[in-house]
Amino acid sequence: MSGLPGRRDNLTAGPKRSSQVRPDDLEGAVRESLSRQVALSRPLSADPAGQAIRRANRIRRRRTGAGLALATAVTVLLGAGMVQLGAGTGRDGTPIVVIGDPDGANRPVPTASVPGAESSSGTSASLVVTETLVDPDGKRLVLRDIGAAERAQLLPGGGGWLVVSRPTAAGRTLWVVQDDGLVQVLLAGAGPIALAPDSRQVAWRDGDDLLVAGVVGTQLIGAARTPVPEAAEPVRFVGDSVLVRLDPGSTGHTLWRPSAGQMPTTVDRQTLNVYGSLPDGRLVGQTVGTDPGGTCLAVLDPTRHLAPVESSCGADLSRDGVGGVSADGRWLLVNGRVGKAGHALLVDLRRLGPAPTAVPAGPPMAGAIVWSNDTQAAYLDGGGDLVRVDVGRVRAGKPAAPAPVPDLPAGDRPVLVSGF
């Protein structure tokens, strides 16, 4: 291989590289290096954006499942003729939807306490409002983050409770409290509220209207409404109909079937209170008597505008409306008097007649009555003590005695519900 003249190697001649670096070149190199470091993405020790995305994905998946469940429930309710969407009642029937965050990472979890257990709450009562539920066996359950409650019912399947607040200047509140700790408001600022026995429907007064809706999870669906008189309020569900009291201070009831439209014009004018249902669908209630100020115990036919089909006027019944019928329809616990003393009375509904068999069963009742079976019942008296009634013992002349709820905080009045 030939080389260039004057060279002893095989390298070709080329421009020599200068060893001189100008200041502006050095500055440009530094700038380029720094810009590359800024553009380089580095992992963060905490990734809030990633957490938000993952949480959003969880919410989207859960809402998708909830949407399918709601669609199925609406189909079932409409197929059964229980509710009516949109027009048909003469008013706008916009469905009521409560939107909540289904991510339970930060939910307060209700704490169950059995008799003898100490409360584990270390939080100031001024910061967290609690409510105590008690079952007929005396077991306590403390619900946190809700207001003062008046009554509660188990959700379908026993996955939590529907809780109705005590009345306030702002109205009543209806909560759904799930057993995983989710506490969510279904209604706020409502008038009187009535719950179906299976907790699948709710009726309430709102302004000039009466509304009814289905309860699915933590939402109300398929709301139907109808205008009602000024003092009217829902009392209870009778099948798919709502028993409406026209005036709390007087007689008069009617049955509103939401799927049929507005309330019927035909009303009952002699019923004071309704205590419950018999297995055949008839109702047990209190009607005005023929004697001034007197009342009667009656079996009412809901298919004939609550017409009495059987009555007995021998017992001295209270007008407070507190009472409950056993599941088999045999027994009624109702407030009344024997002589001058107030009692909870046990009445044999199969032996009404001119003078019904009514015997003292315990102190007067306050609030709900829970029948555990056909012969065992429980209620709270005026002082918040638990009274357990055994039909056999009462009929043998041994009325039930009240017993304090174990470990109940001072000043707290529990709410009686069926077993947890």
Side-chain angles (χ1 to χ4, degrees):
M1 178 180 293
S2 64
L4 292 177
R7 292 186 64 90
R8 296 182 179 180
D9 55 27
N10 61 349
L11 298 178
T12 59
K16 294 184 178 180
R17 185 174 182 178
S18 173
S19 60
Q20 300 293 326
V21 179
R22 292 178 299 177
D24 56 345
D25 293 336
L26 180 60
E27 181 179 350
V30 172
R31 288 180 182 274
E32 182 180 359
S33 176
L34 291 176
S35 65
R36 287 179 178 177
Q37 292 182 16
V38 171
L40 181 63
S41 61
R42 299 180 183 274
L44 298 175
S45 58
D47 182 11
Q51 292 176 356
I53 291 172
R54 289 191 295 271
R55 188 178 185 205
N57 288 335
R58 289 197 303 271
I59 293 174
R60 177 175 53 79
R61 288 193 299 268
R62 293 189 184 186
R63 284 181 176 170
T64 299
L68 293 175
L70 287 173
T72 303
V74 171
T75 302
V76 172
L77 290 175
L78 290 175
M82 293 168 63
V83 297
Q84 181 173 330
L85 297 174
T89 61
R91 306 291 291 248
D92 293 334
T94 304
I96 296 176
V97 179
V98 179
I99 300 177
D101 180 5
D103 184 3
N106 298 316
R107 295 174 187 164
V109 178
T111 303
S113 303
V114 297
E118 297 182 358
S119 174
S120 60
S121 173
T123 307
S124 171
S126 63
L127 300 178
V128 178
V129 178
T130 66
E131 188 61 60
T132 301
L133 305 184
V134 60
D135 74 355
D137 294 328
K139 181 180 177 182
R140 294 187 304 119
L141 180 78
V142 179
L143 302 180
R144 310 195 186 283
D145 294 336
I146 68 171
E150 182 179 67
R151 64 185 186 275
Q153 287 185 190
L154 279 173
L155 287 170
W161 302 267
L162 285 178
V163 182
V164 179
S165 77
R166 299 173 191 170
T168 67
R172 294 179 184 269
T173 301
L174 175 65
W175 296 283
V176 58
V177 182
Q178 294 185 342
D179 56 8
D180 65 354
L182 173 65
V183 178
Q184 188 161 347
V185 175
L186 288 184
L187 292 173
I193 296 173
L195 303 176
D198 60 3
S199 298
R200 296 184 185 275
Q201 294 187 86
V202 58
W204 72 99
R205 177 72 188 255
D206 182 13
D208 296 331
D209 294 341
L210 178 66
L211 293 90
V212 64
V215 180
V216 177
T218 58
Q219 294 184 331
L220 300 180
I221 64 169
R225 67 171 67 210
T226 185
V228 291
E230 181 179 359
E233 60 184 38
V235 176
R236 64 173 62 239
F237 279 81
V238 180
D240 295 336
S241 300
V242 181
L243 180 68
V244 181
R245 187 167 189 168
L246 303 179
D247 187 346
S250 180
T251 59
H253 291 75
T254 190
L255 286 168
W256 173 47
R257 187 176 180 86
S259 61
Q262 296 185 356
M263 281 207 315
T265 56
T266 303
V267 297
D268 149 74
R269 292 296 182 184
Q270 57 182 329
T271 303
L272 287 166
N273 297 292
V274 175
Y275 303 121
S277 301
L278 299 177
D280 61 6
R282 294 180 301 168
L283 305 177
V284 177
Q286 180 186 26
T287 60
V288 293
T290 55
D291 297 334
T295 66
C296 301
L297 187 61
V299 176
L300 311 172
D301 187 351
T303 66
R304 296 169 51 198
H305 308 294
L306 303 180
V309 296
E310 188 178 1
S311 62
S312 176
C313 304
D316 187 1
L317 304 180
S318 169
R319 291 186 176 226
D320 59 10
V322 179
V325 180
S326 62
D328 64 353
R330 172 73 185 273
W331 306 104
L332 168 69
L333 277 174
V334 62
N335 279 343
R337 302 179 68 85
V338 175
K340 296 183 179 180
H343 296 277
L345 302 179
L346 179 68
V347 180
D348 188 347
L349 295 176
R350 295 181 183 175
R351 299 176 60 189
L352 286 181
T357 304
V359 295
M365 302 175 289
I369 299 98
V370 174
W371 284 89
S372 303
N373 53 50
D374 294 341
T375 59
Q376 304 283 335
Y379 64 87
L380 297 174
D381 67 5
D385 289 341
L386 182 64
V387 183
R388 299 189 186 95
V389 175
D390 180 274
V391 170
R393 291 178 57 84
V394 169
R395 297 184 69 192
K398 299 177 181 179
V405 177
D407 304 304
L408 188 68
D412 191 3
R413 179 181 178 84
V415 176
L416 182 65
V417 296
S418 57
F420 300 142

